[in-house]
Amino acid sequence: MESAEDDDAEWRAPCSISLVPSLELSNITSSTPHKVIVHFDMDCFYAQVEMLRNPALRHVPLGIQQKYIVVTCNYLAREQGLTKLMSVTEAKEKCPELVLVKGEDLTHYRELSHKVTELLVSYCPLVERLGFDENFMDITEMVERRLQQYETCTFNGHVYSNNYSEDKAKMYPWLAVGTFKPNQQTTLLPEDISSIMGSLSSVRKVQGIGHQTAKRLQGLGVSSIKDLQIFPLDNLAREFGESSARRLKNIAIGSDDSAVTPTGAPQSLSDEDSFKKMSSPKEVLEKIQELLACLVERMHNDGRRPQTLRLTIRRYSASNKWYSRESRQGPIPSHIGQKIINGNFDNAVDQLTSLAMKLFYKMVVSNKAFHLTLINSISSKDPNDHFTQSG
Ligand code: DCP
Ligand code: MG
Ligand code: MG
């Protein structure tokens, strides 16, 4: 039987943390970093949020379902072979006792995501968000302060190295002092970064290399990170230009010197839904109403007066599988903005819905057939790109 202590121990480690030393490209083993950056990625994020909302779910294999996909699952489910983005059918075959929770409404995930960022910001202002469950935090100053306090420091937890000795803590004090890690976390020393990067099968495994770049690299015969590490810089520069080629070579050895840019309050709030087919104005109206109801509440909680409403649609196209998006936007009259601030939700949603339908008919001719696969509505900032503070 699982003891309460084991259970808590597992629960105390809700995210993976990596400490990213930013090093000179020319000298990867240099012990003088420009910066020390922590990268946080929450474990099975949506599943964790659902387990916090309903603690009984902590003890069952849990999957979060969007449409026909299990977008993520908890670690009990992963022990049964489930992976992220598996189809519901396959997931149930692998784990018949899987409990599924619908995860199409992102409200709770969004809220918790912002709480995590706020918590990090309370320690250090240099925090940059990436999606819902990741944050980068530049802790260089904290590390420098700690280094002045501690005469000696050692690595806690594991060290990923074939060549580890105690004196590494003296070589990399900024790394040792920044890694007080009780939860089975592992320190990766600078001299091992290049080889661990080289062990990644595909260039897509690395943040900063997207689909298009991977395709162009494939054209040059580069598919793994190892290929990229040994590919001549000059040849790479011919395809991508000098500075992008350098950046790619740096990424391949685990070196990225881009600054952490504090994310701050969002400039716009948006909500969207996608579907296989939507072909009637009635369905469009209902979907817009549903999206705006959620958005209006978020705008109210945000407290700033929204200025612009943008509606985005995606039409189905058999020929273009990337389905391009189209959008139209218009100003939100100040009396509607005020209703949102005052919390007069129903009225505000009705009026915004009629504005959104006008935008819709600027894109779709009313008596012609249409087939949409996505609707997105955004309320945001004025043309100068800022929300105005409510009075
Ligand atoms: N997500 C999604 N659709 C995707 C990818 C992610 O809905 N194609 C959602 C579900 C995840 C959350 O974003 O919970 C964070 O994505 P991660 O890739 O970090 O996945 P997890 O946090 O769930 O798992 P891990 O423990 O591997 O980080
Ligand atoms: Mg995660
Ligand atoms: Mg993530």
Side-chain angles (χ1 to χ4, degrees):
M1 211 180 90
E2 192 181 39
S3 75
E5 210 179 309
D6 286 339
D7 189 25
D8 280 343
E10 187 198 314
W11 192 244
R12 274 200 306 267
C15 70
S16 60
I17 305 171
S18 35
L19 196 69
V20 187
S22 174
L23 299 166
E24 297 275 11
L25 168 65
S26 54
N27 184 5
I28 189 72
T29 57
S30 158
S31 61
T32 319
H34 299 298
K35 301 169 200 153
V36 183
I37 297 165
V38 189
H39 173 236
F40 296 85
D41 184 311
M42 304 303 289
D43 287 342
C44 59
F45 182 54
Y46 289 6
Q48 273 210 82
V49 175
E50 297 301 344
M51 291 190 289
L52 283 171
R53 295 180 69 208
N54 175 4
L57 295 173
R58 287 168 55 181
H59 308 287
V60 297
L62 170 70
I64 307 302
Q65 177 178 4
Q66 285 180 352
K67 308 285 191 273
Y68 306 104
I69 300 287
V70 177
V71 287
T72 193
C73 52
N74 69 0
Y75 280 69
L76 281 178
R78 292 186 195 191
E79 279 166 19
Q80 314 260 333
L82 261 70
T83 56
K84 297 186 273 185
L85 305 178
M86 197 175 246
S87 74
V88 168
T89 320
E90 194 184 347
K92 283 204 162 148
E93 271 168 23
K94 281 207 187 298
C95 176
E97 67 278 26
L98 181 70
V99 175
L100 287 170
V101 169
K102 285 260 175 12
E104 274 148 20
D105 179 354
L106 305 181
T107 311
H108 299 288
Y109 311 141
R110 186 182 295 114
E111 276 175 14
L112 220 93
S113 163
H114 284 285
K115 275 194 183 153
V116 170
T117 304
E118 275 168 28
L119 177 72
L120 297 177
V121 169
S122 73
Y123 286 95
C124 161
L126 287 178
V127 178
E128 181 172 343
R129 288 166 58 82
L130 181 71
F132 269 12
D133 91 327
E134 291 176 44
N135 287 279
F136 293 94
M137 185 166 167
D138 185 331
I139 57 161
T140 312
E141 264 191 51
M142 282 165 107
V143 165
E144 280 166 2
R145 256 182 280 130
R146 270 202 185 174
L147 281 176
Q148 286 167 4
Q149 284 169 18
Y150 292 90
E151 275 178 18
T152 54
C153 41
T154 53
F155 286 110
N156 285 2
H158 307 291
V159 179
Y160 175 93
S161 180
N162 292 329
N163 233 336
Y164 179 64
S165 62
E166 286 297 325
D167 59 359
K168 296 280 182 195
K170 288 199 197 86
M171 265 173 91
Y172 306 114
W174 42 270
L175 203 47
V177 83
T179 56
F180 285 5
K181 294 172 164 181
N183 289 324
Q184 298 288 320
Q185 283 131 350
T186 301
T187 300
L188 180 64
L189 298 175
E191 56 261 41
D192 297 317
I193 295 176
S194 191
S195 75
I196 204 171
M197 292 298 292
S199 71
L200 298 175
S201 51
S202 157
V203 291
R204 283 304 304 277
K205 298 258 182 195
V206 182
Q207 195 186 312
I209 302 187
H211 174 75
Q212 292 300 339
T213 307
K215 236 167 69 182
R216 286 168 74 186
L217 285 168
Q218 189 74 52
L220 300 173
V222 174
S223 53
S224 70
I225 291 286
K226 185 99 215 155
D227 296 339
L228 184 56
Q229 285 178 350
I230 56 181
F231 196 77
L233 178 64
D234 287 353
N235 298 4
L236 206 59
R238 242 170 269 134
E239 169 69 23
F240 291 94
E242 184 71 27
S243 93
S244 298
R246 270 189 191 286
R247 187 171 151 67
L248 284 169
K249 290 293 276 185
N250 279 356
I251 286 178
I253 55 165
S255 174
D256 179 354
D257 64 1
S258 44
V260 172
T261 310
T263 307
Q267 289 292 299
S268 63
L269 302 176
S270 76
D271 209 343
E272 73 177 37
D273 201 1
S274 58
F275 17 81
K276 283 201 168 142
K277 187 169 187 167
M278 184 172 283
S279 308
S280 81
K282 182 169 172 283
E283 286 173 292
V284 171
L285 179 86
E286 284 169 4
K287 181 53 71 181
I288 286 177
Q289 236 162 7
E290 181 191 319
L291 292 174
L292 286 174
C294 200
L295 210 50
V296 158
E297 208 174 314
R298 287 169 54 207
M299 290 187 270
H300 174 77
N301 293 339
D302 180 273
R304 292 170 293 175
R305 189 190 322 215
Q307 302 268 314
T308 307
L309 177 69
R310 181 156 79 239
L311 183 77
T312 301
I313 59 169
R314 186 177 61 192
R315 289 177 214 255
Y316 175 75
S317 141
S319 58
N320 173 14
K321 71 180 177 124
W322 299 109
Y323 309 103
S324 54
R325 292 178 178 219
E326 296 164 56
S327 50
R328 290 289 183 280
Q329 65 180 52
I332 298 177
S334 60
H335 67 276
I336 302 185
Q338 199 55 47
K339 281 181 183 151
I340 294 169
I341 286 163
N342 296 344
N344 187 350
F345 294 148
D346 290 347
N347 212 307
V349 170
D350 285 350
Q351 294 184 329
L352 283 179
T353 302
S354 71
L355 279 181
M357 288 307 285
K358 283 189 188 136
L359 297 173
F360 176 72
Y361 284 119
K362 285 187 179 173
M363 294 181 274
V364 172
V365 179
S366 61
N367 56 0
K368 288 236 172 95
F370 60 87
H371 176 168
L372 304 186
T373 62
L374 174 139
I375 294 182
N376 176 321
S377 55
I378 295 187
S379 73
S380 63
K381 59 210 181 185
D382 63 15
N384 299 322
D385 268 0
H386 287 286
F387 271 95
T388 50
Q389 293 289 339
S390 62

